[in-house]
Amino acid sequence: MASNPSGDISEAKFLTVAEVAQMMRVSKMTVYRLVHNGDLPAVRVGRSFRVREEDASEYLRRSFYDAG
């Protein structure tokens, strides 16, 4: 997981589940599944989740599959 060395998250940009789903071109249910399985770190805010943009990007980078 990528993180800020100082531990300060005040500069972090948080995305909604819908924004992450749009970014990844998947359904919101897929994003919820990733969060609940622990594959994608998220923060619970009330009844909803927020994902750091940095974590979503890192998840995509780790998921690249080299077919060649």
Side-chain angles (χ1 to χ4, degrees), residues 15-18 32 35-36 42-51:
L15 304 174
T16 64
V17 167
Y32 281 118
V35 169
H36 287 292
V43 175
R44 188 161 198 148
V45 180
R47 295 180 61 201
S48 60
F49 289 97
R50 295 293 183 268
V51 177

Side-chain angles (χ1 to χ4, degrees), residues 4-64:
N4 189 333
S6 67
D8 181 20
I9 61 167
S10 62
E11 300 295 317
K13 179 178 179 192
F14 286 91
L15 304 174
T16 64
V17 167
E19 290 170 330
V20 174
Q22 184 178 18
M23 173 185 172
M24 293 183 172
R25 304 289 194 262
V26 298
S27 71
K28 289 192 294 184
M29 196 68 225
T30 299
V31 177
Y32 281 118
R33 208 172 289 123
L34 291 170
V35 169
H36 287 292
N37 288 341
D39 297 325
L40 183 62
V43 175
R44 188 161 198 148
V45 180
R47 295 180 61 201
S48 60
F49 289 97
R50 295 293 183 268
V51 177
R52 287 190 318 166
E53 185 175 38
E54 183 179 347
D55 290 331
S57 296
E58 178 62 23
Y59 176 82
L60 287 174
R61 275 192 293 278
R62 286 192 325 255
S63 298
F64 270 100

